[in-house]
């Protein structure tokens, strides 16, 4: 079995998109930064997000039966830090750090997200320390901006590679 430290270090070298998963409903309004988000299927449109089971967000998504994945643009690292619990100013997890709209599901959707996927909860399963939420996409939207990426414990920007002519 691989050591936890070696696994975590190796995963830190894999670049991931940065997103904030939000939910609102009977369990309350919550959001948190995640790096584990992926497309599952185009037909029907399904996405997944992984949330630590100890987080109150995991229970809230289960009870609210909705969530929105807000993919962040490269100028939104402050939003990521706020919903990771380490804001540069203000309170952790404070929705006042940005402008939000209400998605069809009732979840908060970042007004200027790079991409947003508003979801009804389709299913959930536990894997290790996390709960995998699969959402049926009710609405998707996007803007032409560069994504915020995280690798080697730092935010990164995507640049285009020049190809030989």
């Amino acid at each position: 079995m691989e050591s936890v430290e070696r696994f975590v270090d190796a995963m830190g070298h894999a670049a991931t998109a940065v997103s904030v998963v939000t939910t609102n409903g009977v369990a309350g309004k919550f959001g948190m930064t995640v790096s584990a988000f992926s497309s599952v299927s185009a037909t029907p449109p399904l996405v997944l997000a992984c949330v630590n089971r100890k987080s109150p967000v995991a229970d809230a998504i289960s009870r609210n039966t909705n969530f929105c994945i807000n993919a962040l643009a490269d100028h939104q690292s402050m939003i990521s830090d706020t919903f990771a619990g380490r804001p540069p100013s203000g309170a952790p997890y404070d929705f006042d750090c940005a402008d939000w709209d209400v998605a069809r599901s009732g979840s908060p959707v970042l007004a200027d997200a790079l991409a947003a996927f508003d979801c009804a909860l389709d299913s959930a399963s536990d894997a290790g320390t996390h709960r995998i939420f699969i959402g049926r996409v009710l609405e998707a939207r996007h803007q032409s901006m560069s994504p915020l990426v995280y690798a080697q414990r730092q935010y990164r920007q995507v640049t285009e590679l020049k190809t030989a002519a």
Side-chain angles (χ1 to χ4, degrees):
M1 181 168 90
E2 185 61 50
S3 75
V4 171
E5 293 81 19
R6 284 177 54 100
F7 173 76
V8 169
D9 188 46
M11 286 302 299
H13 283 73
T16 60
V18 181
S19 301
V20 172
V21 174
T22 58
T23 187
N24 195 14
V26 295
K29 182 171 150 180
F30 291 89
M32 75 177 293
T33 300
V34 300
S35 58
F37 143 66
S38 179
S39 168
V40 174
S41 168
T43 309
L46 299 171
V47 293
L48 70 78
C50 297
V51 177
N52 190 305
R53 289 195 324 249
K54 291 181 182 178
S55 168
V57 176
D59 180 58
I61 291 172
S62 294
R63 292 181 54 212
N64 291 342
T65 69
N66 67 60
F67 62 94
C68 185
I69 298 170
N70 298 275
L72 301 182
D74 63 3
H75 66 279
Q76 296 174 317
S77 61
M78 185 215 46
I79 297 168
S80 173
D81 287 342
T82 298
F83 284 94
R86 52 179 196 278
S89 63
Y93 312 103
D94 186 358
F95 282 90
D96 288 338
C97 73
D99 292 327
W100 300 86
D101 296 324
V102 177
R104 192 166 120 193
S105 71
S107 294
V109 58
L110 186 60
D112 64 342
L114 170 71
F117 304 88
D118 181 36
C119 301
L121 182 60
D122 185 76
S123 63
S125 62
D126 292 343
T129 58
H130 283 62
R131 181 159 297 142
I132 302 166
F133 292 100
I134 297 180
R136 183 175 21 86
V137 178
L138 304 173
E139 185 176 10
R141 63 186 191 184
H142 71 280
Q143 298 185 66
S144 294
M145 297 184 283
S146 294
L148 182 62
V149 176
Y150 194 77
Q152 298 175 316
R153 301 179 193 262
Q154 295 182 47
Y155 294 115
R156 307 287 181 158
Q157 291 182 321
V158 175
T159 59
E160 290 185 37
L161 294 175
K162 304 264 188 220
T163 57

